[in-house]
Amino acid sequence: MNKIRLTQAAGLPACALLGLAALPAQAQAQDTLNALVWCDHTDAALIEPFEEAHGVTVNLREYEGTGAAFAMLEQSRPGDWDVLVIDTIDVPRAVEAGLLAALPDDELPTDDFFPEVVMASSNSVDGTTYAVTEKFGYNTISYNADRVDPADLDDLLAIWSGESGARLAIYDYYLPVIGLVAVGLGLDTSDLTADDLPAIRDELFKMKAASRSVGEVVASQTALATGEADIIVGGGEWLTAVLAEEQPELTWTIPEQGAVRWSQSIAVLEESQNQDLAVEFVKYVVSAEGQAALATSSCFWGMPANQRAGELLSDEQRAVLRWDEQDDYLSRSQLYPAPGAQLDGQMQDLWLEMLQH
Amino acid sequence: MAISNTLRGWGFVTPALFWTLAFFVAPFAIMVAMSLATLEGRELIWGLDLANYRRLFGQSFLSGAIIVSLQITLTVTLISILLAYPLAWIIAFRVPPRWQRLVLLLAILPFWTSYVVRSYSWLLVLSREGIVNNALMSLGVIAEPLQMASTRFATVTGFVHFFVMLLTLTIFANLVQLSPNYRRAATDLGASGWQAFRHVILPLTLPGIMVGAFLTFVLCIGDYITPQILGGNNELTVPQVIMVQLGRRGDFPLAAALSIVLMGLVTLAYLASARWLRLDRV
């Protein structure tokens, strides 16, 4: 039997097509920065100030899921991409794959960050900083305050027991929702093993039985905004903040057991031909100005890692982000589960089983 | 001269042959080979292992997707035929010829909008506070809103909206080719209107029905967008499971095995309908 890395199966048409699609339009031009990002980076309010200040063009490509990003990078030519936005918990995987360049940590304003989200254990390996946290938030419970009594949301397990009669929907991403179930069961999300899955499975099945739908971001927002669902399990500020202006009754809370915390990091790619410009971009994004724009991006809102961004946000924006409650929220939240490959596969099978249930 | 004709023949055939080899036979062979490989971590292991197929048929949440896909596809095909045939009949025989073009244009108007936008529109129409529930409640038909969005009903509705138009076109094209003399001859021989339709018109229009039904089957069973948006992920079809394998797991071998099974279902549908698939009649 022949063993090859999946993405080295270069003759495969699917991979070839993916590879072509992954090529940045203006690869390797010195006045262009190519960045693989999440959708919140595509807001002109974030990108244009940097482009104007440096006289360059930032070429952005959105992706979903770390696996998709790795596949795109492996199928691109060396140097095609300069910057990568990635789940903070996946930074060590990227470092292990040799994808990331060292960052000048003395030039990064991490002293101004919320201490809990510096996450040196993820962003640094063997004392070298490879990424820096830029934004964070919570996978918890979003709900319609006109229809749901917040007191009914104190207990996670009770929310999906079906007893309240509220209409539930589930955010369709296995890691945070499995993490949230684990939090509800009193488990530590960082210590989950295959032995924990049967108990999690039971709760997921109860949750599915009590739910109307399982949807990604837009579908979840639509469900909440149209009244199809009163509660989104796995939601948070990133789901309801963009709806808050027109529908202030759509809000979110953290139950007594706590919630799951997500965070995203930004890094420079090892094979970037524009390392200096890429580092400047990273420094801009984690500056107070960049952080304020990123926090209130039109795609989704989230807490900036840099506390100084708060000085640039309006009172209304800080209220929507629950700025003043972050100390409490940070102390009560756990990180996404970060399973190894085998447990990750088992979790994905469990998620599929729940969907098909 | 004979050699020249042979060469000329190959000259005509070669581009099509090359096209078929390059864009069907070769990808299909790669797909089969991939379905027999396995994934360990991020390592792809080539071989002749049926593990993906064993997994596919051994795990209920994977094999269940095949059943869900077949149930939805057959339901959509049947409902679309039942709605499209009378519509095509009315356009062919009841609408004056000078208006037929306009009516056909109106019939295919839904094709002009984005598939994704159309699906999201249905989601809003069928939602708890959507136009259907509001209308039924205003009329006093129901007291509480019905759960229609994020159900199989919504998925089927979205599909039927699209495929009724497709089937109407294929059946209409078949109907207008029929000479009115067939019906006249049948009634002259004593057949009632129903008997003339049942024993003369319907058999003659089967090619149009079957071509449309086959296209509906192929497009519906392979569709990802509609069940993803309208079904609310409450049950998964084969394309949705394939997308999970590709997008989240990067499990190309299992995705390939699922795709081969999907192709097998389409092949079975073709074999079942092949005797009626006569494109010259459509």
Side-chain angles (χ1 to χ4, degrees):
Chain A
M1 286 196 294
N2 297 319
K3 248 187 188 185
I4 63 167
R5 295 189 73 183
L6 176 62
T7 48
Q8 286 174 339
L12 300 178
C15 292
L17 285 172
L18 276 172
L20 284 174
L23 289 178
Q26 302 169 53
Q28 296 188 12
Q30 290 302 308
D31 57 354
T32 300
L33 195 72
N34 298 304
L36 268 178
V37 297
W38 293 5
C39 69
D40 54 343
H41 288 68
T42 59
D43 194 326
L46 171 68
I47 299 302
E48 281 181 3
F50 179 82
E51 290 180 325
E52 286 167 12
H54 291 82
V56 298
T57 301
V58 180
N59 174 37
L60 300 163
R61 182 174 171 86
E62 290 177 47
Y63 77 90
E64 282 184 38
T66 303
F70 284 3
M72 290 166 81
L73 288 169
E74 289 178 9
Q75 290 147 21
S76 302
R77 291 172 300 176
D80 274 349
W81 298 101
D82 305 303
V83 171
L84 175 69
V85 170
I86 184 172
D87 241 319
T88 305
I89 59 164
D90 288 327
V91 171
R93 282 171 64 194
V95 174
E96 189 184 340
L99 294 172
L100 305 185
L103 287 176
D105 52 2
D106 56 332
E107 296 178 34
L108 301 171
T110 46
D111 288 346
D112 295 329
F113 281 21
F114 289 93
E116 294 87 343
V117 303
V118 173
M119 295 175 67
S121 59
S122 293
N123 288 319
S124 301
V125 176
D126 296 333
T128 303
T129 300
Y130 289 94
V132 57
T133 309
E134 54 169 19
K135 192 171 178 179
F136 70 97
Y138 307 93
N139 286 107
T140 176
I141 302 295
S142 287
Y143 67 102
N144 185 330
D146 284 351
R147 294 199 174 123
V148 179
D149 182 350
D152 292 340
L153 304 175
D154 285 344
D155 178 16
L156 275 169
L157 301 186
I159 291 172
W160 54 75
S161 67
E163 290 168 8
S164 72
R167 290 184 293 272
L168 259 64
I170 307 169
Y171 171 49
D172 183 17
Y173 192 22
Y174 69 106
L175 279 177
V177 177
I178 286 177
L180 200 58
V181 170
V183 169
L185 290 169
L187 301 170
D188 190 333
T189 55
S190 61
D191 292 334
L192 292 180
T193 66
D195 293 338
D196 297 317
L197 295 185
I200 291 173
R201 180 179 183 274
D202 290 345
E203 292 302 320
L204 282 176
F205 279 26
K206 282 184 206 166
M207 188 191 294
K208 176 72 187 305
S211 298
R212 303 295 176 105
S213 62
V214 186
E216 35 68 49
V217 180
V218 177
S220 297
Q221 287 174 327
T222 305
L224 203 56
T226 59
E228 202 64 36
D230 303 328
I231 296 171
I232 305 288
V233 178
E237 76 295 325
W238 55 273
L239 189 82
T240 51
V242 292
L243 305 170
E245 196 173 345
E246 289 187 7
Q247 291 179 274
E249 71 276 16
L250 304 183
T251 184
W252 58 286
T253 187
I254 292 186
E256 285 178 358
Q257 294 104 320
V260 173
R261 189 170 78 237
W262 58 266
S263 71
Q264 59 194 64
S265 289
I266 187 166
V268 172
L269 288 158
E270 174 69 17
E271 292 180 328
S272 164
Q273 304 296 307
N274 281 338
Q275 294 259 351
D276 292 343
L277 186 61
V279 169
E280 287 303 312
F281 184 70
V282 170
K283 285 160 61 179
Y284 162 71
V285 170
V286 294
S287 69
E289 181 195 13
Q291 289 278 277
L294 184 64
T296 54
S297 163
S298 56
C299 183
F300 67 90
W301 286 32
M303 279 295 296
N306 189 336
Q307 297 184 73
R308 287 190 50 216
E311 299 161 13
L312 303 177
L313 296 173
S314 68
D315 289 345
E316 290 77 16
Q317 289 171 327
R318 287 164 58 99
V320 169
L321 288 168
R322 312 274 179 88
W323 191 279
D324 295 335
E325 293 165 73
Q326 288 304 313
D327 288 343
D328 176 44
Y329 287 180
L330 283 165
S331 67
R332 291 168 54 207
S333 57
Q334 299 185 46
L335 283 174
Y336 264 27
Q342 189 178 6
L343 182 58
D344 188 55
Q346 290 170 319
M347 284 182 171
Q348 293 198 41
D349 280 347
L350 175 57
W351 190 253
L352 275 181
E353 194 182 353
M354 183 272 284
L355 291 176
Q356 201 66 285
H357 181 61
Chain B
M1 181 63 86
I3 293 172
S4 168
N5 279 340
T6 305
L7 282 176
R8 192 183 305 159
W10 276 106
F12 282 120
V13 168
T14 301
L17 198 61
F18 175 77
W19 182 270
T20 306
L21 284 171
F23 295 108
F24 178 72
V25 177
F28 182 70
I30 291 169
M31 189 88 90
V32 171
M34 179 63 84
S35 76
L36 299 173
T38 51
L39 197 64
E40 283 185 11
R42 288 187 63 76
E43 303 286 336
L44 185 65
I45 300 169
W46 293 101
L48 295 173
D49 197 331
L50 292 173
N52 293 309
Y53 292 95
R54 280 197 297 274
R55 194 172 158 219
L56 203 167
F57 290 106
Q59 290 186 298
S60 61
F61 57 90
L62 293 175
S63 57
I66 299 171
I67 295 166
V68 169
S69 285
L70 278 173
Q71 287 174 339
I72 290 176
T73 301
L74 292 173
T75 305
V76 167
T77 307
L78 186 64
I79 294 175
S80 297
I81 290 172
L82 292 176
L83 292 176
Y85 201 101
L87 183 58
W89 181 280
I90 289 168
I91 297 173
F93 300 127
R94 293 287 181 265
V95 174
R98 68 176 182 280
W99 292 108
Q100 281 181 351
R101 270 191 163 187
L102 179 65
V103 174
L104 282 173
L105 189 70
L106 292 174
I108 62 168
L109 216 52
F111 287 108
W112 293 9
T113 56
S114 156
Y115 196 33
V116 175
V117 170
R118 199 166 52 239
S119 294
Y120 271 111
S121 303
W122 270 114
L123 192 62
L124 295 176
V125 167
L126 298 174
S127 71
R128 187 176 168 79
E129 295 174 2
I131 189 170
V132 176
N133 266 320
N134 280 339
L136 291 174
M137 288 178 73
S138 300
L139 294 169
V141 178
I142 54 173
E144 284 289 313
L146 298 172
Q147 164 79 19
M148 289 184 285
S150 302
T151 61
R152 183 181 289 191
F153 169 78
T155 302
V156 169
T157 302
F159 273 136
V160 166
H161 177 216
F162 184 79
F163 290 119
V164 160
M165 303 308 145
L166 180 73
L167 269 154
T168 301
L169 290 179
T170 61
I171 296 170
F172 170 82
N174 202 168
L175 283 171
V176 292
Q177 290 183 43
L178 290 184
S179 167
N181 291 334
Y182 287 118
R183 210 161 14 132
R184 288 183 195 133
T187 48
D188 279 354
L189 291 169
S192 65
W194 166 248
Q195 286 172 323
F197 171 76
R198 167 75 182 78
H199 296 291
V200 179
I201 305 300
L202 185 61
L204 288 171
T205 51
L206 267 180
I209 296 172
M210 294 311 288
V211 167
F214 180 66
L215 287 174
T216 300
F217 187 94
V218 173
L219 295 173
C220 186
I221 204 164
D223 189 275
Y224 166 76
I225 300 287
T226 299
Q228 182 70 16
I229 294 174
L230 291 172
N233 263 340
N234 280 316
E235 54 186 3
L236 295 179
T237 60
V238 175
Q240 286 175 291
V241 177
I242 290 174
M243 284 300 289
V244 170
Q245 304 309 319
L246 293 177
R248 287 193 178 159
R249 304 184 75 147
D251 192 342
F252 284 75
L254 183 57
L258 284 158
S259 301
I260 296 294
V261 168
L262 205 56
M263 281 193 70
L265 293 175
V266 171
T267 305
L268 286 176
Y270 173 79
L271 292 173
S273 56
R275 62 180 284 211
W276 293 289
L277 290 177
R278 295 174 56 189
L279 292 173
D280 58 309
R281 299 291 299 274
V282 179

